Structures are given as structure tokens and as C-alpha cells.
Amino acid sequence: MEAQDVQEDLSHVLLSTEEVQATIAELAAKVDEDYAGKNPLIVAVLKGAIMVVADLTRAMSSHVDVDFMAVSSYGSGTKSSGVVRIVKDLDTDLTGRHVLIVEDIIDSGLTLSWLKANLESRNPASVEICTFLRKPDAMKVDIDVKYVGRDIPNEFVVGYGLDYAEKYRNLDCVGTLAPHVYS
């Protein structure tokens, strides 16, 4: 889906398709360099991170394992509820593994802070975080994020895996959702 297909629903395009892919390529190069020879376990946080993980791992030149975890703190709203619920847990034993949590976006950081602590309790060699987007003005907790694709304004964005009520995930760019859509 392209921005023109939903132009009435977007206030503006924040990142074009080309900017999205350039950001992913930059992240992949950094992750490749840092994890050379370590065969990290990429933990994709579903559902939003699926696009990021697919493109990130394809852009990498080293071997990685991928597993999926689904946690929820949103429901169908536009703000995090702060209550974390595991919807799908990992299938992989983390003992001794280098784990890289991959997120589509960090808003408050509450869910991710909880998730990192949860994974660290499973005896991995390391746990780091990679996010495609981060909203510094929305952060409520201080969380160390090793890889940040882009910092963005505190706006409700959709596209490239990011959704509103399960719509817009397949948008090939990132756009700010117009208030009339969710008001």
C-alpha cells in the first residue's frame, strides 16, 4: 500500500519508502558489525516489528536466528495502557545466547523495559535493543537502546508495520495518522 492509497487518512508522510529502507540498511550494518561471529537471536516483537525484522535480517550479511514474541499494552487505542500481557512467548531457550530485541517503535518505553527485564531473567549472554523508531518526548522510563533508526516527534504514526486498529501495517512508508481517523 502506498501513501496515495490512504492520503485522506494521513496528515503527512514522515518517512518515505526510500528513507525507511535507508534507515533499515544503516541499522543492519551496525548490527552486523557488532554481532559478527556471534549468531544472535533476533527477537521480533509482534506484530509491528515484522516488517522491520524481515527487512533488517535480509539486509544483514551474517547468520542470525529469529524468534517471535507478542506482548500487548495497547488494545485498539492510541496510547499505551501500561499493562503488559504476553500473547505469544518465545520458543527458543535464551541461555547463553546474544539476544537482540527488535521493535518497530518505542513510545513510553514501559512495555520494552518490562520485556527486557523478562528476557534478562532467562540467563542470556546479553540482551540489547534495536528499534526502527523512537519518540523521545513520549518516554516515561529510561531504557538503554543500542540501535535507534530514527527519533521522531510524539505523533501517532502508522505504516511499515505500525498500525491503528490493525490497519495501515502494509503502508510502505511512515505517516502521521490524521486525527479524524481516531477521534
Side-chain angles (χ1 to χ4, degrees):
M1 175 184 292
E2 297 177 358
Q4 67 191 24
D5 298 325
V6 291
Q7 64 187 10
E8 297 82 26
D9 296 348
L10 301 178
S11 294
H12 61 279
V13 172
L14 193 60
L15 296 173
S16 69
T17 304
E18 295 77 22
E19 291 170 313
V20 166
Q21 291 307 315
T23 300
I24 292 297
E26 291 167 13
L27 286 170
K30 291 175 188 171
V31 171
D32 257 341
E33 182 179 332
D34 290 349
Y35 286 95
K38 293 183 180 176
N39 191 39
L41 174 66
I42 305 290
V43 174
V45 182
L46 298 174
K47 297 179 187 170
I50 190 66
M51 304 294 188
V52 177
V53 168
D55 287 348
L56 179 75
T57 56
R58 280 193 299 247
M60 293 174 65
S61 58
S62 55
H63 292 287
V64 297
D65 293 340
V66 178
D67 201 346
F68 302 92
M69 187 167 197
V71 296
S72 177
S73 66
Y74 276 86
S76 62
T78 61
K79 299 250 190 269
S80 175
S81 68
V83 176
V84 180
R85 179 174 65 97
I86 294 178
V87 179
K88 186 234 178 278
D89 207 344
L90 298 172
D91 296 323
T92 307
D93 180 7
L94 301 187
T95 305
R97 297 296 307 265
H98 292 284
V99 176
L100 181 62
I101 301 169
V102 178
E103 270 281 24
D104 52 353
I105 191 166
I106 300 174
D107 284 309
S108 69
L110 294 169
T111 301
L112 192 55
S113 176
W114 180 91
L115 179 58
K116 184 176 184 190
N118 180 287
L119 297 184
E120 286 173 337
S121 75
R122 302 180 192 196
N123 302 313
S126 66
V127 177
E128 298 292 348
I129 298 168
C130 174
T131 187
F132 174 56
L133 301 174
R134 176 177 63 183
K135 296 180 183 179
D137 294 339
M139 300 285 290
K140 293 184 178 175
V141 294
D142 187 29
I143 186 164
D144 183 34
V145 181
K146 188 165 187 175
Y147 309 98
V148 178
R150 297 280 181 103
D151 282 332
I152 63 169
N154 190 12
E155 300 173 346
F156 194 82
V157 293
V158 295
Y160 197 65
L162 300 156
D163 75 300
Y164 171 67
E166 296 299 324
K167 292 178 176 53
Y168 308 101
R169 286 192 199 279
N170 59 328
L171 185 60
D172 65 358
C173 60
V174 175
T176 300
L177 195 61
H180 75 83
V181 176
Y182 57 86
S183 298

